[in-house]
Amino acid sequence: MKRLLILGGTGDAVKLASLVILLQRGFANDLPGLVVITSLAGRTSAPKNLVGDVRIGGFGGEAGLVRYLQTEQIDLLIDATHPFAAQISQNAASAATHVGMPRLMLIRPEWRRSPEDNWIEVESIEEAVQAIPASAERIFVTIGRQQLAPFASLTAKWCLMRSIDPPDLGIPLPPGKLLLDRGPFNLEGERELLREYQIQAIVSKNSGGDATYAKIIAARELGLPVVMIQRPIVPDGEIVTDVAGAIEWLIDRLE
Ligand code: NAP
């Protein structure tokens, strides 16, 4: 029995675990005898449709991850974390090198700006706060719940802040409203949301994927500026951009 650790926290990680288990049950049995363990940081409530074994919580840095890989006798590591989760990807890269373990990164392609888009591209959350057009008073902030504090300086604006779970108590926030919701979000709903709250600019991470892309299309349609935060650098290593690519990688490793 080989043991696969998926570093999760994304829809792709959920799909990957499901597909591996489905393939094991199928007639082809392309992935025989593979134990699937998904690891979550525990920042949000775990998705209901996550199958296979699940462990929750940090490992304790690179050294903790090395210990985990060794004590749990993991054979293969797929880093399917969010493109903005830079620390865990770095730890995964160093830990896998340390123990000599095959590691794959599953990273969905980033969104590409179309000619009709009005994007203001920035490198960090702090830059994003500064880059919000002065003329925009009502802002849709869709960057999750962990990095909202820098927006608290926007005392003259009104922010609609959407995240799966509420921010930690005591985090300073700008004037506005918290909207708790988990994607995927559809175009009709996003259009309606932008109109209902009279949004004049959006702040987004360039997360890529379909689940949260509708807001970008809706902004394009309404001619709204999008302050788009660029992705952090990924560690060196093998990369695939979809779940099918990750399955191929696994089949190659198990042959
Ligand atoms: P991060 O800054 O890269 O990681 C911070 C620490 O959280 C890591 O050092 C690790 O703690 C722990 N951690 C992160 N992912 C983990 C995982 N899958 N399993 C176990 N521990 C994990 O990550 P983040 O930006 O806080 O994101 C946390 C999680 O939320 C990630 O799993 C990511 O996929 C998901 N997520 C992030 C974003 C985003 O915008 N950043 C968006 C959607 C989902 P130790 O050092 O103690 O091991």
Side-chain angles (χ1 to χ4, degrees), residues 48 107 130 255:
K48 291 187 186 71
I107 312 177
Q130 298 303 320
E255 265 172 11

Short mmCIF file of all heavy atoms in Angstrom, two decimals, residues 48 107 130 255:
data_model
loop_
_atom_site.label_atom_id
_atom_site.label_comp_id
_atom_site.label_asym_id
_atom_site.label_seq_id
_atom_site.Cartn_x
_atom_site.Cartn_y
_atom_site.Cartn_z
N LYS A 48 -17.86 19.51 2.98
CA LYS A 48 -18.65 18.31 3.30
C LYS A 48 -18.35 17.15 2.36
O LYS A 48 -18.47 16.00 2.73
CB LYS A 48 -20.14 18.64 3.21
CG LYS A 48 -20.61 19.58 4.30
CD LYS A 48 -22.14 19.74 4.25
CE LYS A 48 -22.60 20.79 5.23
NZ LYS A 48 -22.22 22.16 4.80
N ILE A 107 -1.45 23.46 -9.61
CA ILE A 107 -1.73 24.91 -9.55
C ILE A 107 -2.56 25.30 -10.76
O ILE A 107 -2.09 25.22 -11.90
CB ILE A 107 -0.43 25.75 -9.57
CG1 ILE A 107 0.58 25.21 -8.56
CG2 ILE A 107 -0.75 27.21 -9.28
CD1 ILE A 107 1.90 25.95 -8.57
N GLN A 130 -3.80 50.64 -1.36
CA GLN A 130 -3.37 51.95 -1.89
C GLN A 130 -3.90 52.19 -3.31
O GLN A 130 -4.10 53.34 -3.71
CB GLN A 130 -1.84 52.05 -1.93
CG GLN A 130 -1.15 51.94 -0.58
CD GLN A 130 -1.65 53.00 0.39
OE1 GLN A 130 -1.87 54.14 0.01
NE2 GLN A 130 -1.86 52.59 1.65
N GLU A 255 3.54 3.04 -11.30
CA GLU A 255 3.88 1.95 -12.24
C GLU A 255 5.17 1.26 -11.81
O GLU A 255 6.09 1.92 -11.36
CB GLU A 255 4.02 2.50 -13.66
CG GLU A 255 2.72 2.36 -14.43
CD GLU A 255 2.75 3.08 -15.78
OE1 GLU A 255 3.85 3.51 -16.22
OE2 GLU A 255 1.67 3.23 -16.36
#
